[in-house]
Coordinates of all heavy atoms in Angstrom, one line a residue:
M25 N 19.3 132.5 76.2 CA 20.2 132.1 77.3 C 21.6 132.7 76.9 O 22.1 132.5 75.9 CB 20.3 130.6 77.4 CG 21.1 130.1 78.4 SD 20.9 128.3 78.5 CE 21.9 127.9 79.9
K26 N 22.2 133.4 77.9 CA 23.4 134.0 77.7 C 24.6 133.0 77.8 O 24.5 132.1 78.6 CB 23.7 135.1 78.7 CG 22.8 136.3 78.6 CD 22.9 137.3 79.7 CE 24.2 137.5 80.3 NZ 24.2 138.6 81.4
P27 N 25.6 133.2 76.9 CA 26.7 132.2 77.1 C 27.5 132.5 78.4 O 27.5 133.6 78.9 CB 27.6 132.6 75.9 CG 27.1 133.9 75.4 CD 25.8 134.1 75.9
S28 N 28.0 131.4 79.0 CA 28.7 131.6 80.2 C 30.0 132.3 80.0 O 30.6 132.2 79.0 CB 29.0 130.2 80.9 OG 29.8 129.5 80.0
P29 N 30.4 133.2 80.9 CA 31.7 133.9 80.7 C 32.9 133.0 80.8 O 32.8 132.0 81.5 CB 31.7 134.9 81.9 CG 30.8 134.3 82.9 CD 29.8 133.5 82.2
M30 N 33.9 133.4 80.1 CA 35.1 132.5 80.0 C 35.8 132.6 81.4 O 35.7 133.7 82.1 CB 36.0 133.0 79.0 CG 35.4 132.7 77.6 SD 36.6 132.2 76.3 CE 37.4 133.7 75.9
K31 N 36.4 131.5 81.8 CA 37.2 131.5 83.1 C 38.6 131.7 82.8 O 39.1 131.4 81.7 CB 37.0 130.1 83.7 CG 35.7 129.9 84.3 CD 35.5 128.5 84.9 CE 36.6 128.1 85.8 NZ 36.4 126.7 86.4
R32 N 39.4 132.1 83.8 CA 40.8 132.2 83.7 C 41.4 130.9 84.3 O 40.9 130.4 85.3 CB 41.3 133.4 84.6 CG 40.9 134.7 83.9 CD 41.2 135.9 84.8 NE 42.6 135.9 85.3 CZ 43.6 136.6 84.8 NH1 43.5 137.2 83.6 NH2 44.8 136.6 85.3
W33 N 42.4 130.4 83.6 CA 43.0 129.1 83.9 C 44.5 129.3 84.0 O 45.1 130.0 83.2 CB 42.7 128.0 82.9 CG 41.3 127.8 82.6 CD1 40.5 128.4 81.7 CD2 40.5 126.8 83.2 NE1 39.2 127.9 81.8 CE2 39.2 126.9 82.7 CE3 40.7 125.8 84.2 CZ2 38.1 126.1 83.1 CZ3 39.6 125.0 84.6 CH2 38.4 125.2 84.0
S34 N 45.2 128.7 85.0 CA 46.6 128.7 85.1 C 47.1 127.4 84.5 O 46.7 126.3 85.1 CB 47.0 128.8 86.6 OG 48.4 128.7 86.7
V35 N 47.8 127.4 83.5 CA 48.3 126.2 82.8 C 49.8 126.2 82.9 O 50.5 127.1 82.5 CB 47.8 126.2 81.3 CG1 48.2 124.8 80.7 CG2 46.3 126.4 81.2
S36 N 50.3 125.1 83.4 CA 51.8 124.8 83.5 C 52.1 123.7 82.4 O 51.5 122.7 82.3 CB 52.2 124.2 84.8 OG 51.8 125.2 85.8
I37 N 53.1 124.1 81.6 CA 53.5 123.2 80.5 C 55.1 123.0 80.6 O 55.8 123.9 80.9 CB 53.2 123.7 79.1 CG1 51.7 123.9 79.0 CG2 53.7 122.9 78.0 CD1 51.2 124.6 77.7
Q38 N 55.5 121.8 80.4 CA 56.9 121.5 80.4 C 57.3 120.7 79.1 O 56.5 119.9 78.6 CB 57.3 120.6 81.6 CG 58.7 120.3 81.7 CD 59.1 119.5 82.9 OE1 58.2 119.3 83.8 NE2 60.3 119.0 83.0
A39 N 58.5 121.0 78.6 CA 59.0 120.3 77.4 C 60.4 119.8 77.8 O 61.2 120.5 78.4 CB 59.2 121.2 76.3
E40 N 60.7 118.5 77.5 CA 61.9 117.8 77.9 C 62.8 117.7 76.6 O 62.3 117.4 75.6 CB 61.7 116.5 78.5 CG 61.0 116.7 79.9 CD 60.8 115.3 80.6 OE1 61.5 114.4 80.3 OE2 59.9 115.3 81.4
G41 N 64.1 117.8 76.9 CA 65.0 117.7 75.8 C 66.3 116.9 76.1 O 66.3 116.1 77.0
D42 N 67.3 117.2 75.4 CA 68.5 116.4 75.4 C 69.8 117.1 76.0 O 70.9 116.6 75.8 CB 68.8 115.8 74.0 CG 69.0 117.0 73.0 OD1 68.9 118.1 73.3 OD2 69.3 116.6 71.8
R43 N 69.6 118.3 76.6 CA 70.7 119.0 77.1 C 70.2 120.0 78.2 O 69.0 120.3 78.2 CB 71.4 119.8 76.1 CG 70.6 120.9 75.4 CD 71.4 121.8 74.6 NE 70.6 122.8 73.9 CZ 70.1 123.9 74.5 NH1 70.3 124.1 75.7 NH2 69.3 124.8 73.8
P44 N 71.1 120.4 79.1 CA 70.6 121.4 80.1 C 70.3 122.7 79.5 O 70.9 123.1 78.5 CB 71.9 121.5 81.0 CG 72.7 120.3 80.7 CD 72.4 119.9 79.3
V45 N 69.3 123.4 80.1 CA 68.8 124.7 79.6 C 69.6 125.8 80.2 O 69.9 125.7 81.4 CB 67.3 124.8 79.9 CG1 66.8 126.2 79.4 CG2 66.5 123.7 79.3
Q46 N 70.0 126.7 79.5 CA 70.9 127.9 79.9 C 70.1 129.0 80.5 O 68.9 129.2 80.1 CB 71.8 128.3 78.8 CG 72.7 127.3 78.2 CD 73.6 126.7 79.2 OE1 74.3 127.4 79.9 NE2 73.7 125.4 79.2
L47 N 70.7 129.8 81.4 CA 70.0 130.9 82.0 C 69.4 131.8 80.9 O 68.2 132.3 81.0 CB 70.9 131.7 82.9 CG 70.4 132.9 83.5 CD1 69.1 132.7 84.4 CD2 71.4 133.7 84.3
D48 N 70.2 132.2 79.9 CA 69.7 133.2 78.9 C 68.5 132.6 78.1 O 67.6 133.4 77.7 CB 70.8 133.6 78.0 CG 71.4 132.4 77.2 OD1 71.5 131.3 77.7 OD2 71.8 132.7 76.0
E49 N 68.4 131.3 78.0 CA 67.3 130.7 77.3 C 66.0 130.8 78.2 O 64.9 131.1 77.6 CB 67.5 129.2 77.0 CG 68.6 129.0 76.0 CD 69.0 127.6 75.8 OE1 69.2 126.9 76.8 OE2 69.0 127.2 74.6
V50 N 66.1 130.6 79.5 CA 64.9 130.7 80.3 C 64.5 132.2 80.4 O 63.3 132.5 80.5 CB 65.2 130.2 81.7 CG1 64.1 130.4 82.7 CG2 65.5 128.7 81.6
V51 N 65.5 133.1 80.4 CA 65.1 134.5 80.4 C 64.4 134.9 79.2 O 63.4 135.6 79.2 CB 66.5 135.4 80.6 CG1 66.1 136.9 80.3 CG2 67.0 135.2 82.0
A52 N 64.8 134.4 78.0 CA 64.1 134.6 76.8 C 62.7 134.1 76.8 O 61.8 134.7 76.3 CB 64.9 134.1 75.6
L53 N 62.5 132.9 77.3 CA 61.2 132.3 77.5 C 60.3 133.1 78.4 O 59.2 133.3 78.2 CB 61.3 130.8 77.9 CG 60.0 130.1 78.0 CD1 59.2 130.1 76.7 CD2 60.2 128.6 78.5
A54 N 60.9 133.6 79.5 CA 60.2 134.4 80.5 C 59.7 135.7 79.8 O 58.6 136.1 80.0 CB 61.0 134.7 81.7
D55 N 60.5 136.3 79.0 CA 60.1 137.5 78.2 C 59.0 137.1 77.3 O 58.0 137.9 77.1 CB 61.3 138.1 77.4 CG 62.4 138.7 78.3 OD1 62.1 139.0 79.5 OD2 63.5 139.0 77.8
A56 N 59.1 136.0 76.7 CA 58.0 135.6 75.6 C 56.7 135.3 76.3 O 55.6 135.5 75.7 CB 58.6 134.4 74.8
V57 N 56.7 134.8 77.5 CA 55.4 134.4 78.2 C 54.9 135.6 79.1 O 53.8 135.5 79.6 CB 55.5 133.1 79.0 CG1 55.8 131.9 78.0 CG2 56.5 133.2 80.1
A58 N 55.7 136.6 79.3 CA 55.3 137.7 80.2 C 53.9 138.3 79.8 O 53.1 138.6 80.6 CB 56.4 138.7 80.2
P59 N 53.6 138.5 78.5 CA 52.3 139.0 78.2 C 51.1 138.1 78.5 O 50.0 138.6 78.6 CB 52.4 139.2 76.7 CG 53.8 139.3 76.3 CD 54.5 138.4 77.3
L60 N 51.4 136.9 78.8 CA 50.4 135.9 79.3 C 50.4 135.7 80.8 O 49.9 134.7 81.3 CB 50.6 134.6 78.6 CG 50.7 134.6 77.1 CD1 51.2 133.3 76.5 CD2 49.3 134.9 76.5
D61 N 50.9 136.8 81.5 CA 51.0 136.7 82.9 C 51.8 135.4 83.3 O 51.6 134.8 84.3 CB 49.6 136.6 83.6 CG 48.9 138.0 83.5 OD1 49.5 139.0 83.4 OD2 47.7 137.9 83.5
G62 N 52.8 135.2 82.5 CA 53.5 133.9 82.6 C 54.9 134.0 83.3 O 55.5 135.1 83.5
I63 N 55.4 132.9 83.8 CA 56.7 132.7 84.4 C 57.3 131.5 83.7 O 56.6 130.6 83.2 CB 56.6 132.5 85.9 CG1 55.8 131.3 86.3 CG2 56.2 133.8 86.6 CD1 55.9 130.9 87.7
A64 N 58.7 131.5 83.7 CA 59.4 130.4 83.0 C 60.3 129.7 84.0 O 60.7 130.3 85.0 CB 60.2 130.9 81.8
S65 N 60.7 128.5 83.7 CA 61.6 127.8 84.5 C 62.5 126.8 83.7 O 62.2 126.6 82.5 CB 60.8 126.9 85.6 OG 60.0 126.0 84.9
G66 N 63.5 126.3 84.3 CA 64.3 125.2 83.6 C 65.8 125.5 83.7 O 66.5 124.6 83.1
V67 N 66.3 126.5 84.3 CA 67.8 126.7 84.3 C 68.5 125.5 84.8 O 68.3 125.0 85.9 CB 68.2 127.9 85.1 CG1 69.7 128.1 85.2 CG2 67.5 129.2 84.6
G68 N 69.4 124.9 84.0 CA 70.2 123.8 84.4 C 69.5 122.4 84.3 O 70.1 121.4 84.5
A69 N 68.2 122.4 84.0 CA 67.5 121.2 83.9 C 67.5 120.7 82.4 O 67.8 121.4 81.5 CB 66.0 121.4 84.3
M70 N 67.1 119.5 82.2 CA 67.0 118.9 80.9 C 65.6 119.2 80.3 O 65.0 118.4 79.5 CB 67.2 117.4 80.9 CG 68.6 117.0 81.4 SD 69.9 117.4 80.3 CE 69.8 116.0 79.2
A71 N 65.0 120.3 80.8 CA 63.6 120.7 80.4 C 63.5 122.1 80.6 O 64.2 122.7 81.4 CB 62.6 119.9 81.2
Y72 N 62.5 122.7 79.9 CA 62.1 124.1 80.2 C 60.6 124.1 80.3 O 59.9 123.2 79.8 CB 62.6 125.1 79.1 CG 62.2 124.8 77.7 CD1 60.9 125.0 77.2 CD2 63.1 124.3 76.8 CE1 60.5 124.7 75.9 CE2 62.7 123.9 75.5 CZ 61.4 124.2 75.1 OH 61.1 123.9 73.8
G73 N 60.1 125.1 81.0 CA 58.6 125.1 81.1 C 58.1 126.5 81.4 O 58.9 127.5 81.6
A74 N 56.8 126.6 81.4 CA 56.2 127.9 81.8 C 54.8 127.7 82.4 O 54.2 126.7 82.1 CB 56.0 128.8 80.5
Q75 N 54.4 128.7 83.2 CA 53.1 128.7 83.7 C 52.5 130.0 83.2 O 53.1 131.0 83.3 CB 53.1 128.7 85.2 CG 51.7 128.7 85.8 CD 51.8 128.7 87.4 OE1 52.8 128.5 87.9 NE2 50.6 128.8 88.0
I76 N 51.3 129.8 82.5 CA 50.7 131.0 81.8 C 49.2 131.0 82.2 O 48.6 130.0 82.6 CB 50.9 131.0 80.3 CG1 50.3 129.7 79.7 CG2 52.4 131.1 79.9 CD1 50.4 129.6 78.2
V77 N 48.6 132.2 82.0 CA 47.2 132.4 82.3 C 46.5 132.5 81.0 O 46.8 133.2 80.1 CB 47.0 133.6 83.2 CG1 45.5 133.9 83.4 CG2 47.7 133.5 84.5
I78 N 45.4 131.6 80.8 CA 44.6 131.5 79.6 C 43.1 131.8 80.0 O 42.7 131.2 81.0 CB 44.8 130.1 79.0 CG1 46.2 129.9 78.6 CG2 43.8 129.9 77.9 CD1 46.7 130.8 77.3
E79 N 42.4 132.4 79.1 CA 40.9 132.5 79.3 C 40.3 131.5 78.4 O 40.6 131.5 77.1 CB 40.4 133.9 79.0 CG 40.9 134.9 80.1 CD 40.2 136.3 79.9 OE1 39.3 136.4 79.1 OE2 40.6 137.2 80.7
A80 N 39.4 130.7 78.9 CA 38.8 129.7 78.1 C 37.5 129.2 78.8 O 37.3 129.4 79.9 CB 39.7 128.5 77.8
D81 N 36.6 128.5 78.0 CA 35.4 128.0 78.6 C 35.6 126.7 79.5 O 34.9 126.6 80.5 CB 34.4 127.6 77.5 CG 33.9 128.9 76.7 OD1 33.8 129.9 77.3 OD2 33.7 128.7 75.5
T82 N 36.5 125.9 79.0 CA 36.8 124.6 79.8 C 38.3 124.4 80.0 O 39.1 125.0 79.4 CB 36.2 123.4 78.9 OG1 37.0 123.3 77.8 CG2 34.8 123.6 78.6
A83 N 38.6 123.5 80.9 CA 40.0 123.1 81.2 C 40.7 122.6 79.9 O 41.8 122.9 79.6 CB 40.1 122.1 82.3
D84 N 39.9 121.7 79.1 CA 40.5 121.1 78.0 C 40.8 122.3 76.9 O 41.9 122.2 76.3 CB 39.5 120.1 77.3 CG 39.4 118.9 78.1 OD1 40.4 118.6 78.9 OD2 38.5 118.1 77.9
S85 N 39.9 123.2 76.7 CA 40.2 124.2 75.7 C 41.3 125.2 76.2 O 42.1 125.7 75.5 CB 38.9 125.0 75.4 OG 38.4 125.6 76.5
A86 N 41.4 125.3 77.6 CA 42.6 126.1 78.1 C 43.9 125.5 77.9 O 44.8 126.1 77.5 CB 42.3 126.3 79.6
V87 N 44.0 124.1 78.1 CA 45.2 123.4 77.8 C 45.5 123.5 76.3 O 46.7 123.8 76.0 CB 45.1 122.0 78.2 CG1 46.3 121.2 77.7 CG2 45.0 121.9 79.7
E88 N 44.6 123.3 75.4 CA 44.8 123.4 74.0 C 45.4 124.8 73.6 O 46.3 124.9 72.9 CB 43.5 123.1 73.2 CG 43.7 123.1 71.7 CD 42.4 122.7 71.0 OE1 41.7 121.7 71.5 OE2 42.1 123.3 70.0
A89 N 44.7 125.9 74.1 CA 45.2 127.3 73.8 C 46.5 127.5 74.4 O 47.4 128.2 73.8 CB 44.1 128.3 74.3
A90 N 46.8 127.0 75.6 CA 48.1 127.2 76.3 C 49.2 126.5 75.5 O 50.3 127.0 75.4 CB 48.0 126.7 77.7
M91 N 48.9 125.3 75.0 CA 49.9 124.6 74.2 C 50.3 125.4 73.0 O 51.5 125.5 72.6 CB 49.5 123.2 73.9 CG 49.4 122.3 75.1 SD 48.8 120.7 74.8 CE 50.0 119.9 73.9
E92 N 49.3 126.0 72.3 CA 49.6 126.8 71.2 C 50.4 128.1 71.6 O 51.4 128.4 70.9 CB 48.3 127.2 70.5 CG 47.6 126.1 69.8 CD 46.3 126.5 69.2 OE1 46.0 127.7 69.0 OE2 45.4 125.6 68.9
A93 N 50.0 128.7 72.6 CA 50.7 129.9 73.1 C 52.1 129.6 73.6 O 53.1 130.3 73.3 CB 49.9 130.6 74.3
F94 N 52.3 128.4 74.2 CA 53.6 128.0 74.6 C 54.5 127.7 73.5 O 55.7 128.1 73.4 CB 53.5 126.7 75.5 CG 54.8 126.2 76.1 CD1 55.4 126.8 77.1 CD2 55.3 125.0 75.5 CE1 56.6 126.3 77.6 CE2 56.4 124.4 76.1 CZ 57.1 125.1 77.1
A95 N 54.0 127.0 72.5 CA 54.8 126.8 71.3 C 55.2 128.0 70.6 O 56.4 128.2 70.1 CB 54.0 125.9 70.3
A96 N 54.3 129.0 70.5 CA 54.7 130.4 70.0 C 55.8 131.1 70.8 O 56.7 131.6 70.2 CB 53.5 131.2 69.8
A97 N 55.7 131.0 72.1 CA 56.7 131.5 73.0 C 58.0 130.9 72.8 O 59.0 131.6 72.8 CB 56.2 131.5 74.4
V98 N 58.0 129.6 72.7 CA 59.3 128.8 72.5 C 59.9 129.3 71.2 O 61.1 129.5 71.2 CB 59.0 127.3 72.5 CG1 60.1 126.5 71.9 CG2 58.6 126.9 73.9
E99 N 59.1 129.5 70.1 CA 59.7 129.9 68.9 C 60.2 131.4 69.0 O 61.3 131.6 68.5 CB 58.6 129.9 67.8 CG 59.1 130.2 66.4 CD 58.0 130.0 65.4 OE1 57.2 129.1 65.5 OE2 58.2 130.7 64.3
T100 N 59.5 132.2 69.7 CA 59.9 133.6 69.9 C 61.2 133.7 70.7 O 62.1 134.4 70.4 CB 58.8 134.4 70.7 OG1 57.6 134.5 69.8 CG2 59.3 135.8 71.0
A101 N 61.3 132.8 71.7 CA 62.5 132.7 72.5 C 63.7 132.0 71.8 O 64.8 131.9 72.4 CB 62.2 132.0 73.8
N102 N 63.5 131.5 70.6 CA 64.5 130.7 69.9 C 65.0 129.5 70.6 O 66.2 129.2 70.5 CB 65.6 131.7 69.4 CG 66.3 131.1 68.2 OD1 65.8 130.4 67.4 ND2 67.6 131.6 68.1
L103 N 64.1 128.8 71.3 CA 64.5 127.6 72.0 C 64.3 126.4 71.1 O 63.4 126.5 70.1 CB 63.6 127.4 73.2 CG 63.9 128.3 74.4 CD1 62.9 128.3 75.4 CD2 65.3 128.0 75.0
P104 N 64.9 125.3 71.4 CA 64.7 124.1 70.6 C 63.2 123.6 70.8 O 62.7 123.7 71.9 CB 65.7 123.1 71.1 CG 66.2 123.6 72.4 CD 66.0 125.1 72.4
A105 N 62.6 123.1 69.8 CA 61.2 122.7 69.9 C 61.1 121.3 70.4 O 60.9 120.4 69.7 CB 60.5 122.8 68.5
W106 N 61.4 121.2 71.7 CA 61.3 119.8 72.4 C 59.9 119.4 72.5 O 59.0 120.2 72.6 CB 62.0 119.9 73.7 CG 63.5 120.1 73.6 CD1 64.3 119.9 72.5 CD2 64.4 120.5 74.6 NE1 65.7 120.1 72.8 CE2 65.7 120.5 74.1 CE3 64.2 120.9 75.9 CZ2 66.8 120.9 74.9 CZ3 65.3 121.3 76.7 CH2 66.6 121.3 76.1
P107 N 59.7 118.1 72.7 CA 58.3 117.6 72.9 C 57.7 118.1 74.3 O 58.4 118.0 75.3 CB 58.4 116.1 72.9 CG 59.8 115.8 72.5 CD 60.6 117.0 72.6
M108 N 56.5 118.5 74.3 CA 55.8 118.8 75.5 C 55.4 117.5 76.2 O 54.8 116.7 75.6 CB 54.6 119.6 75.2 CG 54.8 121.0 74.6 SD 53.3 121.9 74.3 CE 53.8 122.8 72.8
T109 N 55.9 117.4 77.5 CA 55.7 116.2 78.2 C 54.8 116.3 79.4 O 54.4 115.3 79.9 CB 57.1 115.7 78.8 OG1 57.6 116.7 79.6 CG2 58.0 115.4 77.6
R110 N 54.4 117.5 79.7 CA 53.5 117.7 80.9 C 52.6 118.9 80.7 O 53.2 119.9 80.2 CB 54.3 117.7 82.2 CG 53.4 117.8 83.4 CD 54.3 117.9 84.6 NE 55.2 119.0 84.7 CZ 54.8 120.2 85.3 NH1 53.6 120.4 85.8 NH2 55.7 121.2 85.3
A111 N 51.4 118.9 81.0 CA 50.5 120.0 81.1 C 49.5 119.9 82.2 O 48.9 118.8 82.4 CB 49.7 120.2 79.7
E112 N 49.5 120.8 83.1 CA 48.6 120.8 84.2 C 47.7 122.1 84.2 O 48.3 123.2 83.9 CB 49.3 120.7 85.5 CG 50.1 119.4 85.7 CD 50.9 119.4 87.0 OE1 50.8 120.3 87.8 OE2 51.7 118.4 87.1
V113 N 46.5 122.0 84.5 CA 45.6 123.2 84.6 C 44.9 123.3 85.9 O 44.5 122.3 86.5 CB 44.6 123.1 83.4 CG1 43.8 121.9 83.4 CG2 43.8 124.4 83.2
I114 N 44.7 124.5 86.3 CA 44.0 124.8 87.6 C 43.1 126.0 87.2 O 43.6 127.1 86.7 CB 44.9 125.2 88.7 CG1 45.8 124.1 89.1 CG2 44.1 125.7 89.9 CD1 46.8 124.4 90.2
G115 N 41.8 125.9 87.5 CA 40.9 127.0 87.3 C 41.0 128.0 88.4 O 41.3 127.7 89.5
E116 N 40.8 129.3 88.0 CA 41.0 130.4 89.0 C 40.1 130.2 90.2 O 40.6 130.5 91.3 CB 40.7 131.7 88.3 CG 41.0 132.9 89.1 CD 40.8 134.2 88.3 OE1 39.6 134.4 87.9 OE2 41.7 134.9 88.1
D117 N 39.0 129.7 90.0 CA 38.0 129.5 91.1 C 38.3 128.2 92.0 O 37.8 128.0 93.0 CB 36.6 129.4 90.7 CG 36.3 128.3 89.7 OD1 37.3 127.7 89.2 OD2 35.1 128.1 89.4
E118 N 39.3 127.4 91.5 CA 39.7 126.2 92.2 C 40.8 126.4 93.2 O 41.1 125.6 94.0 CB 40.0 125.1 91.2 CG 39.0 124.6 90.3 CD 39.5 123.7 89.2 OE1 40.4 123.0 89.4 OE2 38.8 123.7 88.2
F119 N 41.5 127.6 93.0 CA 42.7 127.8 93.8 C 42.4 128.9 94.8 O 42.0 130.0 94.4 CB 43.9 128.2 93.0 CG 45.1 128.5 93.8 CD1 45.8 127.5 94.3 CD2 45.5 129.8 94.0 CE1 47.0 127.7 95.0 CE2 46.6 130.0 94.7 CZ 47.4 129.0 95.2
E120 N 42.5 128.6 96.1 CA 42.3 129.6 97.1 C 43.4 129.4 98.1 O 43.9 128.3 98.3 CB 40.9 129.4 97.8 CG 39.8 129.7 96.9 CD 38.5 129.5 97.7 OE1 38.4 129.4 98.9 OE2 37.4 129.4 97.0
V121 N 43.8 130.5 98.8 CA 44.9 130.5 99.7 C 44.6 129.4 100.7 O 43.5 129.4 101.3 CB 45.1 131.9 100.4 CG1 46.1 131.8 101.4 CG2 45.4 132.9 99.3
G122 N 45.6 128.6 101.0 CA 45.5 127.5 102.0 C 44.9 126.2 101.5 O 44.9 125.3 102.2
E123 N 44.4 126.3 100.3 CA 43.8 125.0 99.8 C 44.8 124.0 99.3 O 44.6 122.8 99.4 CB 42.8 125.4 98.7 CG 42.0 124.3 98.2 CD 40.9 124.7 97.1 OE1 40.3 125.7 97.4 OE2 40.8 124.1 96.1
V124 N 45.9 124.5 98.7 CA 46.8 123.6 98.1 C 47.9 123.3 99.2 O 48.4 124.2 99.8 CB 47.5 124.3 96.9 CG1 48.6 123.4 96.3 CG2 46.4 124.5 95.8
G125 N 48.2 122.0 99.3 CA 49.3 121.6 100.1 C 48.9 121.5 101.6 O 49.8 121.4 102.4
T126 N 47.7 121.6 102.0 CA 47.3 121.5 103.3 C 46.5 120.3 103.6 O 45.9 119.8 102.7 CB 46.5 122.8 103.8 OG1 45.3 122.8 103.0 CG2 47.3 124.0 103.6
E127 N 46.5 119.8 104.8 CA 45.7 118.6 105.1 C 44.7 119.0 106.1 O 44.8 119.9 106.9 CB 46.7 117.6 105.8 CG 47.7 117.0 104.9 CD 48.5 115.9 105.6 OE1 48.0 115.3 106.5 OE2 49.7 115.8 105.1
D128 N 43.5 118.4 106.0 CA 42.4 118.7 106.8 C 42.5 118.0 108.2 O 43.1 117.0 108.3 CB 41.1 118.3 106.2 CG 40.7 119.1 105.0 OD1 41.1 120.3 105.1 OD2 40.2 118.6 104.0

């Protein structure tokens, strides 16, 4: 029996801290997550975050891998290592145009 191919997952992670995040810090985080097809957010907020793409077998393993990748990106960007307070995952096959935010 062949192993199932890994899926692509979009994982959003947020870390909250004790001061507003500056533009240059979010730019540095964006640069650090760019190789992961990532984007960063948080300018002026008391948190920073990123959405990255991870290949994994399951949603749980995608979140675990994403948290490690996010922590490495935070270190690369020289941001404070604030606690991760939120992680959300969406499988590539679960997201289709028109599916999110619409009512039947």
